[in-house]
Amino acid sequence: MKKSKFSVLALLMAIMLILAACNGGSKETSNEKEGGSGDSSGSKVLNVNNSSEPGSLHPANAQGTHESWILEHTFEGLTKKTEEGKIVPGSAESWEISEDGLTWTFKLKDGLKWSNGDPLTANDFEYAWKYALKPETAADYAYQLYYLKGGEAYNSKKGKEEDVGVKATDEHTLVVTLEQPTPYFLDLTSFYTFYPINKKVQEENPKWALDAKTHVSNGPFKLTEWKHKESLKIEKNENYYDKDKIKLDAVNFALIEDENTAWQMYQSGELDLAYPLPVDIQGQMVNSDDKEFKMGKELAVYYYNFNTEVKPFNNAKVRKALSMAIERQKITENVAQGGQKPAFGVVPPGIPDASGDFQENTGNLFKEDVTEAKKLLKEGLAEEGMKELPEFSILYNTLDSHKKIAEAVQGMWRDNLGVEVTLENAEFQVKLDREKAGDFEISRAGWVGDYVDPMTFMLWETDGAYNDAGWSNKEYDNLLKEAKSTMDPKERMDALHKAEKVMIDEMPILPVYFYTKPYMVKSNVTGVFAPINAYPNFIYADKK
């Protein structure tokens, strides 16, 4: 859609805030003392905001953080991560790796159950992984299972399901065979595409993941309410093996696209945790001593896709000109205001190299240069038989922070290149769908690493599931194959450094900055932590 809309929910919330102010909104009610947000039962309920309506809460069909945040609290993989990022047993009790690194044998914990009481076995993992690879499923993240022997062949209809390298040899044992040794495979087993699904539920009702009444999961919480485009509720799963360590009784997710509305709700006590924050609030909090403000590390990059299949964005000189003509430091300091680092590549800080930090070793792969940008733009347009850029727009999802960044880029292109661009906002799921359909010229995007390795940021392989730019380069593809074919750390990292440079030299995307993770959490809430590649985690949180 071309125009922003206020949701009915946002309007009602605004009215509630006004009424609260008129009645002395700073007073704490008895309900707030006991449970928060109108809960008088004394139960512990955490209230948070999720910025978009999930498209699906099915591990195989989820696409983004608006879905994974909920999945990470309602499901559990073979492994999970601690606050420090250490990989520890999840549904698996232990695992063994063969000397050649190709065979992984996982032993599941005893007595595992689904939220509906069904026993959870190794067969549920085998079924789930093969379901995600099944061509008819059309899972965007199927490629994460290509590490399995025969996984890519099956997904591309060139192989058989029975040849895929995952097999439950009994109810407690899952044997996994890989195409080649993969150093970060254990990390991947904590990722949501590797979660199990209940075979019986899936086969009886293929739409089970779209309704709270039919949703079945295996994690610390279970989905109990889903008012579409309004709110979700997850409650403690009494069938979870570690239930005695779960202190919260429930978590309410308000589905709010406007971070300013979410911030007002946090201030009024309606939310216990707010993320993301409005950019001006981030700017105020970064240098404050407010104990409720938390600055988590983030393994993510903010960027713009160029649709390389649309003229003149098929021309690398045009793309590079637009990238070189923006001023990233001004965007991070004056617009984003969250302590972000300007990005001159796509792999963020925080990933180990063969020696040191990968991003620090890379350095800046290009520079900002308005004079050179003007020259490249003129040359690129001439090569496409054009004298000036045709009308085009930046597509972004409906958050005020994205709008402000797009406005800043719009102004920089106007001032530095004399280029006019329009802005277009859409709901997050609509934006994702349009990117998949190629229905855009330039679109705002962000990528959070699925695991802690540079490979998770190498999205632009020919026909890659998240290569929304539609870019293709044989040298880049071959370098990724080289990196996947060796266990030697230096050889792997050298190939990945070269691949990142090849991609940036052609600029199918425009890197803007590396994220940080600023959020607010009330002082009476403990146990919340922010994993480096995920939204704030409150599985073991408590509320006084």
Side-chain angles (χ1 to χ4, degrees):
M1 64 185 71
K2 293 188 177 180
K3 294 184 179 179
S4 175
K5 290 186 178 180
F6 290 101
S7 68
V8 173
L9 177 63
L11 180 60
L12 289 173
M13 287 174 178
I15 294 172
M16 288 169 64
L17 288 171
I18 294 170
L19 292 175
C22 293
N23 290 309
S26 62
K27 294 183 179 180
E28 185 179 48
T29 67
S30 59
N31 284 347
E32 287 172 336
K33 289 178 182 177
E34 292 176 335
S37 295
D39 181 0
S40 59
S41 65
S43 61
K44 295 181 179 181
V45 180
L46 191 73
N47 299 289
V48 304
N49 63 297
N50 195 35
S51 59
S52 299
E53 163 79 4
S56 174
L57 292 178
H58 190 303
N61 296 326
Q63 298 181 65
T65 47
H66 61 312
E67 296 154 337
S68 64
W69 199 18
I70 299 160
L71 292 175
E72 286 161 0
H73 290 82
T74 53
F75 282 84
E76 183 175 278
L78 294 168
T79 61
K80 57 186 178 182
K81 291 182 180 178
T82 66
E83 180 174 357
E84 297 76 24
K86 182 181 178 182
I87 301 168
V88 297
S91 294
E93 181 178 72
S94 62
W95 50 84
E96 295 180 356
I97 312 167
S98 63
E99 286 188 14
D100 61 8
L102 293 175
T103 303
W104 297 62
T105 304
F106 295 88
K107 290 288 184 179
L108 269 61
K109 290 179 167 74
D110 290 329
L112 295 176
K113 291 183 179 181
W114 289 99
S115 57
N116 67 352
D118 289 347
L120 188 153
T121 71
N123 292 289
D124 293 311
F125 281 93
E126 178 185 350
Y127 177 78
W129 296 8
K130 288 180 176 178
Y131 177 82
L133 283 168
K134 188 177 180 180
E136 292 78 12
T137 302
D140 286 328
Y141 264 114
Y143 74 92
Q144 292 288 31
L145 292 152
Y146 286 2
Y147 298 101
L148 305 184
K149 186 177 179 61
E152 183 174 7
Y154 175 48
N155 184 244
S156 58
K157 300 182 180 180
K158 297 177 182 178
K160 299 177 181 179
E161 179 181 335
E162 55 264 34
D163 294 331
V164 175
V166 55
K167 179 67 176 177
T169 56
D170 59 47
E171 291 190 347
H172 289 86
T173 308
L174 189 74
V175 178
V176 181
T177 307
L178 305 182
E179 285 281 7
Q180 60 260 328
T182 305
Y184 46 87
F185 182 71
L186 195 62
D187 197 329
L188 275 169
T189 60
S190 68
F191 184 64
Y192 60 81
T193 309
F194 286 77
Y195 290 163
I197 57 175
N198 188 310
K199 179 180 179 180
K200 183 179 73 172
V201 170
Q202 177 67 43
E203 293 185 344
E204 289 179 356
N205 177 16
K207 296 183 179 181
W208 64 271
L210 300 175
D211 191 327
K213 294 177 182 177
T214 54
H215 200 270
V216 177
S217 59
N218 74 315
F221 296 92
K222 59 184 179 181
L223 182 68
T224 57
E225 183 177 275
W226 188 352
K227 297 179 181 178
H228 290 280
K229 297 196 175 182
E230 184 178 328
S231 64
L232 296 104
K233 184 177 184 179
I234 60 176
E235 296 184 26
K236 182 177 179 178
N237 178 11
E238 291 298 331
N239 287 319
Y240 182 56
Y241 67 87
D242 215 12
K243 65 180 180 181
D244 293 341
K245 293 183 180 179
I246 309 304
K247 303 296 190 298
L248 296 175
D249 295 293
V251 181
N252 292 324
F253 290 86
L255 303 180
I256 307 168
E257 289 201 352
D258 182 7
E259 62 263 58
N260 292 293
T261 300
W263 172 244
Q264 290 171 347
M265 292 176 67
Y266 180 83
Q267 287 183 300
S268 69
E270 294 173 83
L271 293 180
D272 300 303
L273 187 153
Y275 179 74
L277 301 174
V279 292
D280 55 333
I281 300 303
Q282 288 183 176
Q284 295 173 27
M285 293 296 173
V286 164
N287 298 312
S288 76
D289 57 359
D290 192 317
K291 290 184 171 58
E292 294 185 355
F293 176 72
K294 311 295 179 184
M295 178 63 86
K297 294 181 180 180
E298 185 67 287
L299 197 71
V301 60
Y302 191 109
Y303 64 96
Y304 282 166
N305 285 302
F306 290 110
N307 187 338
T308 64
E309 297 179 353
V310 173
K311 247 183 158 183
F313 305 114
N314 59 313
N315 190 290
K317 290 181 178 179
V318 172
R319 301 191 299 261
K320 291 170 77 171
L322 292 171
S323 183
M324 294 171 71
I326 70 168
E327 299 160 274
R328 290 161 180 78
Q329 194 72 37
K330 288 184 178 180
I331 292 174
T332 56
E333 290 184 356
N334 303 328
V335 185
Q337 301 184 62
Q340 297 88 348
K341 179 179 178 180
F344 296 90
V346 292
V347 180
I351 297 179
D353 203 336
S355 176
D357 181 272
F358 189 93
Q359 193 277 325
E360 288 181 7
N361 290 342
T362 301
N364 294 345
L365 293 176
F366 67 98
K367 63 180 181 179
E368 296 165 352
D369 186 330
V370 174
T371 301
E372 180 66 14
K374 289 179 179 179
K375 176 176 173 288
L376 288 174
L377 182 60
K378 184 177 180 180
E379 290 176 359
L381 289 174
E383 289 173 5
E384 301 305 321
M386 298 178 175
K387 291 185 178 180
E388 60 184 24
L389 276 169
E391 182 178 332
F392 68 100
S393 64
I394 297 174
L395 174 67
Y396 65 92
N397 51 297
T398 310
L399 279 178
D400 191 52
S401 57
H402 299 325
K403 178 184 178 183
K404 288 181 177 179
I405 291 169
E407 288 174 339
V409 171
Q410 179 187 46
M412 290 171 183
W413 283 343
R414 180 190 305 116
D415 296 342
N416 295 335
L417 295 178
V419 169
E420 294 293 338
V421 56
T422 58
L423 307 182
E424 183 180 8
N425 74 300
E427 293 179 0
F428 189 38
Q429 191 62 48
V430 173
K431 182 194 82 81
L432 292 177
D433 292 342
R434 285 184 57 181
E435 285 171 331
K436 296 301 176 194
D439 182 19
F440 71 97
E441 289 95 26
I442 295 177
S443 70
R444 170 266 153 194
W447 187 258
V448 180
D450 299 330
Y451 47 93
V452 186
D453 190 272
M455 187 65 78
T456 190
F457 289 92
M458 302 298 162
L459 306 177
W460 296 276
E461 194 169 12
T462 300
D463 297 326
Y466 288 90
N467 181 2
D468 295 325
W471 180 70
S472 178
N473 182 286
K474 287 184 179 180
E475 184 181 2
Y476 181 82
D477 293 348
N478 289 334
L479 285 165
L480 296 192
K481 289 179 182 178
E482 181 182 332
K484 291 175 182 178
S485 65
T486 178
M487 286 288 284
D488 182 276
K490 189 174 188 311
E491 287 182 10
R492 282 192 73 248
M493 294 304 175
D494 284 349
L496 292 172
H497 276 295
K498 291 175 183 176
E500 183 181 17
K501 186 177 187 305
V502 167
M503 191 274 288
I504 290 297
D505 281 346
E506 290 206 4
M507 206 73 72
I509 59 101
L510 184 161
V512 181
Y513 60 71
F514 297 125
Y515 281 86
T516 53
K517 196 182 300 169
Y519 63 99
M520 302 290 292
V521 60
K522 294 294 185 182
S523 57
N524 65 329
V525 176
T526 59
V528 174
F529 67 92
I532 192 171
N533 62 336
Y535 275 23
N537 185 296
F538 39 78
I539 287 175
Y540 297 111
D542 198 359
K543 185 175 178 181
K544 298 177 184 178

